[in-house]
Amino acid sequence: MRWSLVALLALSGLAHAQSPRQNAEAAFDEVERESVRYREAELPVAVTPRRAEAAIAPPKSPATQAPPARPATEAPARPASMAPATQAPPARPAAKAPATQAPVTAAAPPPLTAQPGGDLDAVLDLRRLDHALLAHAIVLETNDARQRHGLRPLPVERRLNAAAQLHAERMAQLDFFDHNDPHDARYRTPKDRAAQAGITNPHIAENILTGFALQHDGGPLYVIDRARGQFSRTPRGPAIARHTYRSFAKRSVERWLLSPGHRRNLLSKNGLQMGAGAAVMPPQADGFPKLTGVQVFQWFEPAR
């Protein structure tokens, strides 16, 4: 018997997901594989950072209003659609004192170094993901896009890497997709996370997404081996290839550029430094392998 699954993702500023079909583990035989249908998500409206003395256009929603966090009880299994989103902080007070709370080290792989070793064209191995290499690939693709648009490339700031990696790991491990971390006040906002990484003057713009680990942009899928994350585009076709470090980063940057808000963050002349992070999402009921990705930008002045 063939079972179909439609995973839709609707976004408006922040991502929220519809509940997936409950019994997604239906059996199938060698002749007739289970069919699963996914499509790529629509892109949300983005928010950009601004400082009090800068005449920068405000977002559609009030800059001082924090977006609501996803309830912890909402949809335990993520939809298959890839979901990017952006956020940036409200205006910084002119006389605000630096954060005094001691930096907290992210429970994640080490921050990206200037030139991490590794093959960017290696296939992603989700059991032994090289987080630093994938973050480096995201930085390279970001700077390639900036240079194509006549902008200077952004240097990597190791503390921004730490903040980005922390958020990518927490979203993956704690099963939420939001710029606001609902689980710990120390890491609530992008600005909080940068401060926890040791930055005393954070002016942060952030892009986030969830992305397929397979080179699949949407459409019908057929299960080959759910436990091993193998799917095909046709009932008896070959398994869809996994992304390489380079191709996943390239696809992620392409998707951010499709949204005016993400594009504004990525191509802003105000950007001075950046960091990136990525993490593997735990296995979901649908078995489709996914990752979280984060870009963090420091605007207006170099991080101190």
Side-chain angles (χ1 to χ4, degrees):
M1 177 180 294
R2 176 173 297 178
W3 297 83
S4 64
L5 170 64
V6 178
L8 299 177
L9 184 64
L11 297 170
S12 178
L14 297 173
H16 60 278
Q18 293 182 351
S19 299
R21 179 171 56 86
Q22 295 297 316
N23 299 318
E25 299 297 331
F28 59 94
D29 57 30
E30 294 181 357
V31 176
E32 186 173 19
R33 295 175 180 167
E34 181 179 358
S35 173
V36 187
R37 182 176 295 272
Y38 300 105
R39 71 174 178 84
E40 195 169 28
E42 297 176 356
L43 295 169
V45 175
V47 183
T48 57
R50 61 192 178 100
R51 54 181 176 180
E53 62 270 30
I56 297 177
K60 292 185 178 180
S61 58
T64 56
Q65 182 177 355
R70 276 181 60 189
T73 57
E74 183 181 1
R78 288 194 172 280
S81 299
M82 296 186 286
T86 63
Q87 180 170 322
R92 64 183 172 106
K96 186 172 182 179
T100 57
Q101 190 171 13
V104 175
T105 302
L112 176 65
T113 58
Q115 294 292 335
D119 182 5
L120 291 172
D121 293 315
V123 175
L124 295 178
D125 182 346
L126 303 188
R127 297 166 300 176
R128 293 182 293 273
L129 186 70
D130 188 335
H131 298 81
L133 183 60
L134 187 51
H136 181 59
I138 293 172
V139 170
L140 290 178
E141 291 297 332
T142 299
N143 280 333
D144 182 66
R146 288 179 60 85
Q147 289 178 294
R148 291 199 310 270
H149 289 83
L151 299 169
R152 66 181 181 276
L154 299 180
V156 171
E157 216 295 338
R158 62 177 181 81
R159 293 168 294 178
L160 294 177
N161 273 331
Q165 186 62 40
L166 171 66
H167 195 47
E169 291 284 342
R170 289 180 64 82
M171 285 195 297
Q173 294 169 3
L174 300 176
D175 191 28
F176 72 96
F177 181 75
D178 204 317
H179 296 284
N180 285 354
D181 187 329
H183 300 284
D184 193 324
R186 294 174 299 171
Y187 313 129
R188 186 75 69 201
T189 67
K191 183 176 180 179
D192 292 334
R193 294 186 286 274
Q196 288 295 325
I199 295 175
T200 60
N201 62 332
H203 308 294
I204 304 300
E206 183 179 80
N207 289 345
I208 63 175
L209 59 74
T210 61
F212 297 154
L214 305 184
Q215 297 187 34
H216 178 68
D217 294 336
L221 291 173
Y222 298 84
V223 177
I224 297 176
D225 188 329
R226 187 186 301 279
R228 298 175 63 184
Q230 293 183 343
F231 295 79
S232 173
R233 293 187 177 90
T234 59
R236 295 181 177 84
I240 300 172
R242 291 214 172 188
H243 272 296
T244 65
Y245 287 85
R246 190 192 307 275
S247 68
F248 179 84
K250 184 178 181 64
R251 179 61 184 147
S252 298
V253 170
E254 287 174 348
R255 291 179 55 229
W256 278 321
L257 289 173
L258 289 174
S259 164
H262 300 87
R263 185 184 184 90
R264 183 166 57 248
N265 283 351
L266 200 152
L267 299 180
S268 174
K269 295 180 180 179
N270 292 318
L272 298 179
Q273 298 160 309
M274 73 167 295
V280 179
M281 297 176 65
Q284 305 291 305
D286 58 27
F288 206 80
K290 295 177 279 290
L291 299 92
T292 59
V294 179
Q295 287 180 315
V296 178
F297 302 93
Q298 171 76 357
W299 281 25
F300 308 130
E301 59 184 357
R304 296 193 300 268

